[in-house]
Short mmCIF file of all heavy atoms in Angstrom, two decimals:
data_model
loop_
_atom_site.label_atom_id
_atom_site.label_comp_id
_atom_site.label_asym_id
_atom_site.label_seq_id
_atom_site.Cartn_x
_atom_site.Cartn_y
_atom_site.Cartn_z
N LEU A 93 64.95 85.04 277.69
CA LEU A 93 64.95 85.42 276.28
C LEU A 93 66.31 86.04 275.88
O LEU A 93 66.91 85.62 274.83
CB LEU A 93 63.74 86.42 276.05
CG LEU A 93 63.55 86.72 274.53
CD1 LEU A 93 63.29 85.44 273.69
CD2 LEU A 93 62.48 87.76 274.31
N THR A 94 66.87 86.75 276.79
CA THR A 94 68.13 87.36 276.55
C THR A 94 69.17 86.31 276.48
O THR A 94 70.10 86.35 275.63
CB THR A 94 68.41 88.40 277.64
OG1 THR A 94 67.52 89.45 277.66
CG2 THR A 94 69.85 88.96 277.43
N ALA A 95 69.13 85.26 277.27
CA ALA A 95 70.08 84.17 277.36
C ALA A 95 70.02 83.42 276.01
O ALA A 95 71.02 83.02 275.45
CB ALA A 95 69.80 83.24 278.45
N TYR A 96 68.80 83.28 275.45
CA TYR A 96 68.64 82.56 274.13
C TYR A 96 69.25 83.37 273.02
O TYR A 96 70.00 82.76 272.27
CB TYR A 96 67.06 82.46 273.79
CG TYR A 96 66.85 82.04 272.37
CD1 TYR A 96 67.11 80.77 271.92
CD2 TYR A 96 66.48 82.99 271.45
CE1 TYR A 96 66.87 80.50 270.62
CE2 TYR A 96 66.26 82.74 270.09
CZ TYR A 96 66.45 81.43 269.75
OH TYR A 96 66.22 81.14 268.42
N ARG A 97 69.10 84.72 273.07
CA ARG A 97 69.75 85.55 272.04
C ARG A 97 71.25 85.47 272.12
O ARG A 97 71.88 85.37 271.14
CB ARG A 97 69.27 87.02 272.17
CG ARG A 97 67.89 87.25 271.55
CD ARG A 97 67.57 88.68 271.51
NE ARG A 97 66.21 88.74 272.25
CZ ARG A 97 65.99 89.65 273.19
NH1 ARG A 97 66.81 90.65 273.43
NH2 ARG A 97 64.87 89.58 273.84
N GLU A 98 71.68 85.61 273.27
CA GLU A 98 73.27 85.56 273.51
C GLU A 98 73.75 84.14 273.11
O GLU A 98 74.76 84.05 272.46
CB GLU A 98 73.52 85.76 274.96
CG GLU A 98 73.30 87.13 275.44
CD GLU A 98 73.49 87.37 276.86
OE1 GLU A 98 73.99 86.44 277.63
OE2 GLU A 98 73.19 88.45 277.27
N LEU A 99 73.13 83.07 273.42
CA LEU A 99 73.45 81.70 273.05
C LEU A 99 73.39 81.51 271.48
O LEU A 99 74.32 80.98 270.89
CB LEU A 99 72.66 80.68 273.79
CG LEU A 99 73.08 79.21 273.56
CD1 LEU A 99 74.44 78.84 274.13
CD2 LEU A 99 72.08 78.34 274.28
N PHE A 100 72.37 82.06 270.92
CA PHE A 100 72.19 81.97 269.48
C PHE A 100 73.35 82.67 268.78
O PHE A 100 73.95 82.11 267.87
CB PHE A 100 70.82 82.60 268.99
CG PHE A 100 70.50 82.25 267.63
CD1 PHE A 100 69.69 81.17 267.27
CD2 PHE A 100 70.92 83.17 266.62
CE1 PHE A 100 69.31 80.98 265.86
CE2 PHE A 100 70.62 82.94 265.31
CZ PHE A 100 69.83 81.83 264.94
N LYS A 101 73.56 83.93 269.19
CA LYS A 101 74.68 84.64 268.59
C LYS A 101 76.09 84.07 268.81
O LYS A 101 76.87 84.13 267.91
CB LYS A 101 74.71 86.17 269.19
CG LYS A 101 75.60 87.04 268.34
CD LYS A 101 75.38 88.45 268.71
CE LYS A 101 76.28 89.31 267.95
NZ LYS A 101 76.02 90.71 267.86
N LYS A 102 76.26 83.45 269.95
CA LYS A 102 77.52 82.78 270.18
C LYS A 102 77.83 81.74 269.19
O LYS A 102 78.87 81.48 268.75
CB LYS A 102 77.47 82.23 271.72
CG LYS A 102 78.82 81.48 272.08
CD LYS A 102 78.77 80.96 273.39
CE LYS A 102 79.99 80.20 273.84
NZ LYS A 102 79.85 79.54 275.11
N HIS A 103 76.74 80.89 268.96
CA HIS A 103 76.90 79.82 268.02
C HIS A 103 76.73 80.01 266.52
O HIS A 103 77.40 79.36 265.73
CB HIS A 103 75.83 78.73 268.33
CG HIS A 103 76.19 78.03 269.64
ND1 HIS A 103 77.11 77.02 269.75
CD2 HIS A 103 75.69 78.18 270.84
CE1 HIS A 103 77.08 76.62 270.99
NE2 HIS A 103 76.26 77.28 271.69
N THR A 104 76.06 81.25 266.18
CA THR A 104 75.93 81.48 264.75
C THR A 104 76.60 82.72 264.27
O THR A 104 76.94 82.95 263.19
CB THR A 104 74.37 81.71 264.37
OG1 THR A 104 74.00 82.96 265.15
CG2 THR A 104 73.65 80.60 264.76
N GLY A 105 77.05 83.63 265.30
CA GLY A 105 77.69 84.77 264.93
C GLY A 105 76.87 85.87 264.66
O GLY A 105 77.34 87.08 264.32
N VAL A 106 75.53 85.76 264.56
CA VAL A 106 74.51 86.80 264.32
C VAL A 106 73.40 86.67 265.25
O VAL A 106 73.12 85.59 265.81
CB VAL A 106 74.10 86.77 262.87
CG1 VAL A 106 75.20 87.03 261.85
CG2 VAL A 106 73.36 85.46 262.50
N SER A 107 72.58 87.75 265.37
CA SER A 107 71.49 87.79 266.14
C SER A 107 70.29 86.83 265.54
O SER A 107 70.38 86.66 264.32
CB SER A 107 70.93 89.18 266.42
OG SER A 107 70.35 89.62 265.21
N PRO A 108 69.37 86.37 266.24
CA PRO A 108 68.25 85.66 265.76
C PRO A 108 67.58 86.40 264.54
O PRO A 108 67.20 85.95 263.54
CB PRO A 108 67.35 85.31 266.81
CG PRO A 108 68.27 85.38 268.03
CD PRO A 108 69.26 86.45 267.79
N ASN A 109 67.29 87.80 264.82
CA ASN A 109 66.69 88.53 263.85
C ASN A 109 67.46 88.67 262.50
O ASN A 109 66.96 88.54 261.45
CB ASN A 109 66.46 89.96 264.41
CG ASN A 109 65.51 90.72 263.57
OD1 ASN A 109 64.40 90.29 263.09
ND2 ASN A 109 65.88 92.01 263.32
N ASP A 110 68.84 88.89 262.60
CA ASP A 110 69.67 89.02 261.46
C ASP A 110 69.69 87.75 260.70
O ASP A 110 69.76 87.63 259.55
CB ASP A 110 71.11 89.46 261.82
CG ASP A 110 71.19 90.99 262.13
OD1 ASP A 110 70.24 91.73 261.59
OD2 ASP A 110 72.12 91.43 262.77
N TYR A 111 69.74 86.60 261.47
CA TYR A 111 69.72 85.26 260.92
C TYR A 111 68.46 85.07 260.03
O TYR A 111 68.53 84.63 258.95
CB TYR A 111 69.83 84.14 261.95
CG TYR A 111 69.87 82.73 261.43
CD1 TYR A 111 71.15 82.18 261.09
CD2 TYR A 111 68.77 82.04 261.22
CE1 TYR A 111 71.18 80.84 260.61
CE2 TYR A 111 68.85 80.74 260.75
CZ TYR A 111 70.02 80.14 260.46
OH TYR A 111 70.10 78.96 259.86
N LEU A 112 67.30 85.37 260.58
CA LEU A 112 66.03 85.32 259.89
C LEU A 112 66.06 86.16 258.55
O LEU A 112 65.62 85.74 257.55
CB LEU A 112 64.89 85.63 260.85
CG LEU A 112 63.49 85.57 260.18
CD1 LEU A 112 63.23 84.21 259.69
CD2 LEU A 112 62.45 85.94 261.27
N ILE A 113 66.49 87.40 258.74
CA ILE A 113 66.56 88.35 257.66
C ILE A 113 67.46 87.74 256.57
O ILE A 113 67.10 87.68 255.31
CB ILE A 113 66.87 89.76 258.05
CG1 ILE A 113 65.75 90.34 258.87
CG2 ILE A 113 67.23 90.62 256.82
CD1 ILE A 113 66.24 91.74 259.52
N ASN A 114 68.59 87.23 256.92
CA ASN A 114 69.56 86.65 255.93
C ASN A 114 68.90 85.46 255.11
O ASN A 114 69.07 85.35 254.00
CB ASN A 114 70.84 86.19 256.58
CG ASN A 114 71.71 87.48 256.80
OD1 ASN A 114 71.83 88.33 255.99
ND2 ASN A 114 72.44 87.42 257.98
N LEU A 115 68.21 84.60 256.03
CA LEU A 115 67.53 83.48 255.49
C LEU A 115 66.45 83.90 254.42
O LEU A 115 66.36 83.42 253.29
CB LEU A 115 66.90 82.65 256.54
CG LEU A 115 66.23 81.35 256.11
CD1 LEU A 115 67.24 80.39 255.59
CD2 LEU A 115 65.59 80.77 257.36
N ARG A 116 65.61 84.95 254.78
CA ARG A 116 64.58 85.41 253.83
C ARG A 116 65.22 86.08 252.66
O ARG A 116 64.75 85.76 251.56
CB ARG A 116 63.78 86.49 254.65
CG ARG A 116 62.89 85.87 255.68
CD ARG A 116 62.05 86.96 256.40
NE ARG A 116 61.10 86.40 257.24
CZ ARG A 116 60.34 87.02 258.00
NH1 ARG A 116 60.64 88.29 258.20
NH2 ARG A 116 59.35 86.49 258.79
N VAL A 117 66.30 86.80 252.84
CA VAL A 117 66.90 87.47 251.62
C VAL A 117 67.53 86.43 250.74
O VAL A 117 67.42 86.48 249.43
CB VAL A 117 67.92 88.58 252.09
CG1 VAL A 117 68.73 89.10 250.92
CG2 VAL A 117 67.18 89.73 252.75
N ASN A 118 68.23 85.47 251.27
CA ASN A 118 68.86 84.47 250.44
C ASN A 118 67.87 83.66 249.65
O ASN A 118 68.02 83.28 248.49
CB ASN A 118 69.78 83.54 251.39
CG ASN A 118 70.98 84.24 251.75
OD1 ASN A 118 71.47 85.14 251.14
ND2 ASN A 118 71.52 83.69 252.83
N THR A 119 66.66 83.38 250.30
CA THR A 119 65.69 82.57 249.59
C THR A 119 65.04 83.44 248.55
O THR A 119 64.79 83.04 247.41
CB THR A 119 64.50 82.25 250.63
OG1 THR A 119 65.15 81.44 251.69
CG2 THR A 119 63.38 81.56 249.91
N ALA A 120 64.87 84.77 248.74
CA ALA A 120 64.37 85.68 247.80
C ALA A 120 65.30 85.82 246.56
O ALA A 120 64.96 85.79 245.45
CB ALA A 120 64.15 87.14 248.35
N CYS A 121 66.66 85.82 246.93
CA CYS A 121 67.62 85.81 245.84
C CYS A 121 67.52 84.61 244.89
O CYS A 121 67.47 84.75 243.65
CB CYS A 121 69.06 85.82 246.38
SG CYS A 121 69.53 87.45 247.13
N ARG A 122 67.34 83.51 245.45
CA ARG A 122 67.16 82.23 244.71
C ARG A 122 65.90 82.31 243.90
O ARG A 122 65.85 82.02 242.69
CB ARG A 122 67.09 81.05 245.68
CG ARG A 122 66.94 79.71 244.91
CD ARG A 122 66.98 78.56 245.77
NE ARG A 122 66.04 78.62 246.91
CZ ARG A 122 64.78 78.41 246.85
NH1 ARG A 122 64.26 78.06 245.77
NH2 ARG A 122 64.04 78.43 247.97
N LEU A 123 64.83 82.78 244.51
CA LEU A 123 63.47 82.83 243.76
C LEU A 123 63.58 83.94 242.62
O LEU A 123 63.08 83.69 241.51
CB LEU A 123 62.37 83.20 244.74
CG LEU A 123 62.04 82.05 245.65
CD1 LEU A 123 60.95 82.56 246.75
CD2 LEU A 123 61.38 80.82 244.97
N LEU A 124 64.28 85.05 242.88
CA LEU A 124 64.44 86.09 241.86
C LEU A 124 65.16 85.62 240.75
O LEU A 124 64.91 85.88 239.57
CB LEU A 124 65.03 87.36 242.42
CG LEU A 124 64.17 88.10 243.36
CD1 LEU A 124 64.99 89.14 244.19
CD2 LEU A 124 63.13 88.89 242.59
N SER A 125 66.26 84.73 240.95
CA SER A 125 67.12 84.27 239.85
C SER A 125 66.56 83.12 239.12
O SER A 125 66.92 82.82 237.97
CB SER A 125 68.51 84.16 240.33
OG SER A 125 68.52 83.01 241.29
N GLN A 126 65.69 82.31 239.82
CA GLN A 126 65.23 81.10 239.24
C GLN A 126 63.76 80.99 238.76
O GLN A 126 63.40 80.04 238.20
CB GLN A 126 65.49 80.00 240.21
CG GLN A 126 66.95 79.66 240.52
CD GLN A 126 67.16 78.54 241.62
OE1 GLN A 126 66.21 77.98 242.10
NE2 GLN A 126 68.44 78.32 241.84
N THR A 127 63.00 82.10 239.11
CA THR A 127 61.61 82.11 238.64
C THR A 127 61.28 83.41 238.07
O THR A 127 62.22 84.28 238.08
CB THR A 127 60.72 81.92 239.85
OG1 THR A 127 60.75 83.13 240.72
CG2 THR A 127 61.02 80.72 240.72
N ASN A 128 60.11 83.60 237.52
CA ASN A 128 59.56 84.77 236.93
C ASN A 128 58.51 85.33 237.76
O ASN A 128 57.64 86.10 237.34
CB ASN A 128 59.12 84.59 235.49
CG ASN A 128 60.31 84.28 234.56
OD1 ASN A 128 61.28 84.90 234.67
ND2 ASN A 128 60.06 83.44 233.58
N GLU A 129 58.44 84.88 239.10
CA GLU A 129 57.41 85.32 240.01
C GLU A 129 57.47 86.80 240.21
O GLU A 129 58.64 87.40 240.07
CB GLU A 129 57.49 84.58 241.29
CG GLU A 129 57.06 83.11 241.21
CD GLU A 129 57.16 82.45 242.62
OE1 GLU A 129 56.36 82.90 243.44
OE2 GLU A 129 58.05 81.56 242.78
N ARG A 130 56.33 87.40 240.47
CA ARG A 130 56.31 88.83 240.76
C ARG A 130 57.03 89.14 242.08
O ARG A 130 57.01 88.17 242.97
CB ARG A 130 54.93 89.37 240.91
CG ARG A 130 54.09 89.27 239.54
CD ARG A 130 52.71 89.81 239.59
NE ARG A 130 52.40 90.40 240.98
CZ ARG A 130 51.22 90.41 241.43
NH1 ARG A 130 50.26 89.81 240.85
NH2 ARG A 130 50.94 90.94 242.60
N ILE A 131 57.68 90.21 242.15
CA ILE A 131 58.39 90.61 243.40
C ILE A 131 57.48 90.61 244.62
O ILE A 131 57.87 90.13 245.75
CB ILE A 131 59.13 91.90 243.17
CG1 ILE A 131 60.22 91.77 242.17
CG2 ILE A 131 59.70 92.45 244.56
CD1 ILE A 131 60.88 93.04 241.72
N GLY A 132 56.30 91.10 244.45
CA GLY A 132 55.36 91.09 245.58
C GLY A 132 54.96 89.69 246.08
O GLY A 132 54.80 89.39 247.19
N ASP A 133 54.91 88.73 245.13
CA ASP A 133 54.65 87.31 245.43
C ASP A 133 55.84 86.64 246.10
O ASP A 133 55.66 85.99 247.19
CB ASP A 133 54.28 86.48 244.25
CG ASP A 133 52.96 86.90 243.57
OD1 ASP A 133 52.03 87.52 244.32
OD2 ASP A 133 52.71 86.67 242.45
N ILE A 134 56.97 87.03 245.75
CA ILE A 134 58.16 86.49 246.42
C ILE A 134 58.36 87.14 247.76
O ILE A 134 58.62 86.39 248.75
CB ILE A 134 59.48 86.92 245.55
CG1 ILE A 134 59.41 85.98 244.24
CG2 ILE A 134 60.77 86.63 246.31
CD1 ILE A 134 60.58 86.33 243.22
N ALA A 135 58.01 88.34 247.96
CA ALA A 135 58.08 89.02 249.20
C ALA A 135 57.19 88.22 250.21
O ALA A 135 57.61 87.97 251.36
CB ALA A 135 57.66 90.53 249.10
N ASN A 136 55.97 87.98 249.69
CA ASN A 136 55.01 87.23 250.57
C ASN A 136 55.51 85.75 250.91
O ASN A 136 55.40 85.37 252.04
CB ASN A 136 53.58 87.07 249.95
CG ASN A 136 52.85 88.32 250.04
OD1 ASN A 136 52.81 88.90 251.15
ND2 ASN A 136 52.03 88.63 249.10
N LYS A 137 56.14 85.13 249.97
CA LYS A 137 56.64 83.79 250.16
C LYS A 137 57.69 83.73 251.21
O LYS A 137 57.88 82.75 251.95
CB LYS A 137 57.28 83.17 248.86
CG LYS A 137 56.16 82.64 247.94
CD LYS A 137 56.82 81.87 246.83
CE LYS A 137 55.66 81.08 246.06
NZ LYS A 137 56.29 80.37 244.95
N VAL A 138 58.60 84.76 251.28
CA VAL A 138 59.61 84.79 252.26
C VAL A 138 59.29 85.44 253.57
O VAL A 138 60.15 85.56 254.45
CB VAL A 138 60.94 85.38 251.69
CG1 VAL A 138 61.47 84.62 250.53
CG2 VAL A 138 60.81 86.89 251.39
N GLY A 139 58.05 85.89 253.70
CA GLY A 139 57.54 86.34 254.91
C GLY A 139 57.36 87.87 255.15
O GLY A 139 57.08 88.40 256.21
N TYR A 140 57.30 88.63 254.05
CA TYR A 140 57.01 90.11 254.11
C TYR A 140 55.64 90.30 253.43
O TYR A 140 55.52 90.00 252.28
CB TYR A 140 58.11 90.89 253.42
CG TYR A 140 59.51 90.80 254.18
CD1 TYR A 140 60.48 89.91 253.67
CD2 TYR A 140 59.67 91.54 255.27
CE1 TYR A 140 61.62 89.86 254.36
CE2 TYR A 140 60.91 91.48 255.96
CZ TYR A 140 61.92 90.64 255.46
OH TYR A 140 63.05 90.46 256.17
N THR A 141 54.67 90.88 254.15
CA THR A 141 53.44 91.33 253.61
C THR A 141 53.49 92.60 252.89
O THR A 141 52.66 92.87 252.02
CB THR A 141 52.37 91.39 254.73
OG1 THR A 141 52.72 92.33 255.70
CG2 THR A 141 52.13 90.00 255.36
N ASP A 142 54.51 93.48 253.12
CA ASP A 142 54.60 94.71 252.48
C ASP A 142 55.80 94.68 251.49
O ASP A 142 56.97 94.66 251.89
CB ASP A 142 54.87 95.79 253.52
CG ASP A 142 54.92 97.17 252.97
OD1 ASP A 142 55.32 97.38 251.77
OD2 ASP A 142 54.78 98.20 253.72
N GLN A 143 55.53 94.72 250.12
CA GLN A 143 56.42 94.59 249.10
C GLN A 143 57.52 95.66 249.25
O GLN A 143 58.75 95.42 249.00
CB GLN A 143 55.75 94.62 247.89
CG GLN A 143 56.67 94.71 246.65
CD GLN A 143 55.87 94.88 245.39
OE1 GLN A 143 54.77 94.42 245.20
NE2 GLN A 143 56.57 95.16 244.26
N TYR A 144 57.02 96.96 249.62
CA TYR A 144 58.04 98.03 249.60
C TYR A 144 58.95 97.90 250.84
O TYR A 144 60.20 98.21 250.74
CB TYR A 144 57.22 99.40 249.63
CG TYR A 144 56.40 99.43 248.43
CD1 TYR A 144 54.98 99.17 248.53
CD2 TYR A 144 56.89 99.68 247.20
CE1 TYR A 144 54.23 99.17 247.42
CE2 TYR A 144 56.21 99.61 246.02
CZ TYR A 144 54.77 99.50 246.18
OH TYR A 144 53.98 99.54 245.02
N TYR A 145 58.48 97.42 251.91
CA TYR A 145 59.38 97.11 253.10
C TYR A 145 60.39 96.04 252.68
O TYR A 145 61.53 96.08 253.04
CB TYR A 145 58.55 96.79 254.39
CG TYR A 145 59.46 96.48 255.55
CD1 TYR A 145 60.17 97.55 256.18
CD2 TYR A 145 59.56 95.17 255.98
CE1 TYR A 145 60.95 97.18 257.33
CE2 TYR A 145 60.41 94.89 257.08
CZ TYR A 145 61.05 95.95 257.70
OH TYR A 145 61.86 95.70 258.78
N PHE A 146 59.87 95.01 252.07
CA PHE A 146 60.75 93.96 251.59
C PHE A 146 61.84 94.41 250.71
O PHE A 146 63.06 94.15 250.78
CB PHE A 146 59.98 92.90 250.87
CG PHE A 146 60.73 91.94 249.96
CD1 PHE A 146 61.57 90.98 250.42
CD2 PHE A 146 60.82 92.06 248.48
CE1 PHE A 146 62.34 90.19 249.72
CE2 PHE A 146 61.47 91.31 247.79
CZ PHE A 146 62.30 90.28 248.29
N SER A 147 61.49 95.45 249.74
CA SER A 147 62.48 95.95 248.83
C SER A 147 63.55 96.74 249.58
O SER A 147 64.70 96.67 249.24
CB SER A 147 61.75 96.76 247.76
OG SER A 147 60.98 96.07 246.99
N ARG A 148 63.17 97.48 250.58
CA ARG A 148 64.15 98.29 251.41
C ARG A 148 65.04 97.31 252.19
O ARG A 148 66.28 97.54 252.23
CB ARG A 148 63.44 99.16 252.37
CG ARG A 148 62.70 100.31 251.79
CD ARG A 148 62.43 101.44 252.75
NE ARG A 148 61.62 100.97 253.94
CZ ARG A 148 60.23 100.92 253.93
NH1 ARG A 148 59.59 101.27 252.95
NH2 ARG A 148 59.65 100.55 255.00
N ILE A 149 64.50 96.25 252.78
CA ILE A 149 65.28 95.32 253.51
C ILE A 149 66.33 94.56 252.49
O ILE A 149 67.43 94.47 252.75
CB ILE A 149 64.50 94.29 254.27
CG1 ILE A 149 63.72 94.97 255.34
CG2 ILE A 149 65.30 93.17 254.78
CD1 ILE A 149 64.60 95.46 256.52
N PHE A 150 65.75 94.13 251.38
CA PHE A 150 66.53 93.49 250.36
C PHE A 150 67.71 94.32 249.93
O PHE A 150 68.86 93.89 249.83
CB PHE A 150 65.67 93.17 249.18
CG PHE A 150 66.38 92.21 248.18
CD1 PHE A 150 66.23 90.90 248.31
CD2 PHE A 150 67.05 92.72 247.13
CE1 PHE A 150 66.82 89.96 247.37
CE2 PHE A 150 67.66 91.87 246.21
CZ PHE A 150 67.57 90.51 246.36
N LYS A 151 67.46 95.68 249.70
CA LYS A 151 68.50 96.61 249.25
C LYS A 151 69.54 96.73 250.35
O LYS A 151 70.74 96.81 250.04
CB LYS A 151 67.93 97.83 248.65
CG LYS A 151 69.02 98.82 248.16
CD LYS A 151 68.53 99.95 247.43
CE LYS A 151 69.69 100.75 246.79
NZ LYS A 151 69.22 101.75 246.01
N LYS A 152 69.13 96.84 251.54
CA LYS A 152 70.02 97.04 252.72
C LYS A 152 70.99 95.86 252.70
O LYS A 152 72.13 96.12 253.09
CB LYS A 152 69.19 97.19 254.00
CG LYS A 152 70.06 97.39 255.24
CD LYS A 152 69.22 97.51 256.42
CE LYS A 152 70.07 97.69 257.78
NZ LYS A 152 69.24 97.71 258.84
N TYR A 153 70.49 94.74 252.54
CA TYR A 153 71.34 93.50 252.72
C TYR A 153 72.08 93.06 251.46
O TYR A 153 73.10 92.45 251.57
CB TYR A 153 70.54 92.29 253.20
CG TYR A 153 70.33 92.41 254.71
CD1 TYR A 153 69.44 93.30 255.24
CD2 TYR A 153 71.11 91.66 255.55
CE1 TYR A 153 69.19 93.29 256.67
CE2 TYR A 153 70.82 91.68 256.93
CZ TYR A 153 69.96 92.56 257.48
OH TYR A 153 69.83 92.73 258.82
N THR A 154 71.68 93.39 250.27
CA THR A 154 72.43 93.08 249.01
C THR A 154 73.01 94.18 248.24
O THR A 154 73.80 94.02 247.39
CB THR A 154 71.39 92.38 248.05
OG1 THR A 154 70.35 93.30 247.69
CG2 THR A 154 70.76 91.17 248.68
N GLY A 155 72.59 95.45 248.55
CA GLY A 155 73.04 96.57 247.87
C GLY A 155 72.32 96.87 246.51
O GLY A 155 72.58 97.86 245.76
N LEU A 156 71.32 95.96 246.31
CA LEU A 156 70.50 96.13 244.99
C LEU A 156 69.06 96.01 245.34
O LEU A 156 68.67 95.30 246.28
CB LEU A 156 70.87 94.96 243.99
CG LEU A 156 72.24 94.84 243.53
CD1 LEU A 156 72.45 93.55 242.80
CD2 LEU A 156 72.60 96.08 242.63
N THR A 157 68.17 96.57 244.62
CA THR A 157 66.76 96.45 244.64
C THR A 157 66.48 95.02 244.12
O THR A 157 67.22 94.46 243.34
CB THR A 157 65.93 97.40 243.81
OG1 THR A 157 66.18 97.25 242.51
CG2 THR A 157 66.33 98.92 244.32
N PRO A 158 65.40 94.39 244.45
CA PRO A 158 65.02 93.10 243.90
C PRO A 158 64.94 93.17 242.43
O PRO A 158 65.43 92.19 241.75
CB PRO A 158 63.60 92.72 244.44
CG PRO A 158 63.55 93.58 245.76
CD PRO A 158 64.32 94.80 245.56
N LYS A 159 64.44 94.30 241.84
CA LYS A 159 64.47 94.36 240.34
C LYS A 159 65.79 94.39 239.75
O LYS A 159 66.04 93.76 238.74
CB LYS A 159 63.61 95.62 239.94
CG LYS A 159 63.36 95.79 238.54
CD LYS A 159 62.58 96.97 238.12
CE LYS A 159 62.22 97.02 236.70
NZ LYS A 159 61.41 98.15 236.38
N GLN A 160 66.70 95.15 240.37
CA GLN A 160 68.03 95.16 239.88
C GLN A 160 68.78 93.82 239.98
O GLN A 160 69.52 93.41 239.16
CB GLN A 160 68.83 96.24 240.66
CG GLN A 160 68.46 97.61 240.48
CD GLN A 160 69.15 98.60 241.37
OE1 GLN A 160 69.47 98.27 242.57
NE2 GLN A 160 69.35 99.85 240.93
N TYR A 161 68.44 93.14 241.11
CA TYR A 161 69.07 91.82 241.41
C TYR A 161 68.66 90.83 240.25
O TYR A 161 69.40 89.97 239.67
CB TYR A 161 68.68 91.30 242.67
CG TYR A 161 69.36 89.96 242.98
CD1 TYR A 161 70.63 89.94 243.67
CD2 TYR A 161 68.71 88.76 242.68
CE1 TYR A 161 71.16 88.69 243.96
CE2 TYR A 161 69.34 87.59 243.02
CZ TYR A 161 70.67 87.55 243.55
OH TYR A 161 71.16 86.38 243.88
N ARG A 162 67.35 90.88 239.91
CA ARG A 162 66.87 89.96 238.93
C ARG A 162 67.54 90.36 237.60
O ARG A 162 67.91 89.48 236.78
CB ARG A 162 65.40 90.14 238.73
CG ARG A 162 64.73 89.33 237.74
CD ARG A 162 63.23 89.25 237.77
NE ARG A 162 62.81 88.18 238.59
CZ ARG A 162 61.62 88.09 239.08
NH1 ARG A 162 60.69 88.99 238.92
NH2 ARG A 162 61.29 87.04 239.87
#
C-alpha cells in the first residue's frame, strides 16, 4: 500500500487522498455553478454524506463556502 501511495504521488504530484478530494471539490464547483441543486444533494453526489463536513472541506480547498462559491 505504501508503494502504491508513493508511486501515485510520484506520477501525479499529490497523494491519492488529496487527488480524490480535489476531484470531488472540482466536481462540486461545476455543479454549484451549473445547477440549482441543493448543496446537500451536491455533497451526496460527490461522495460526502455529511453536508457540513463537505462544506468544511470545500472551504479548506477553495477559500469559500459552497454558498459563497455559488
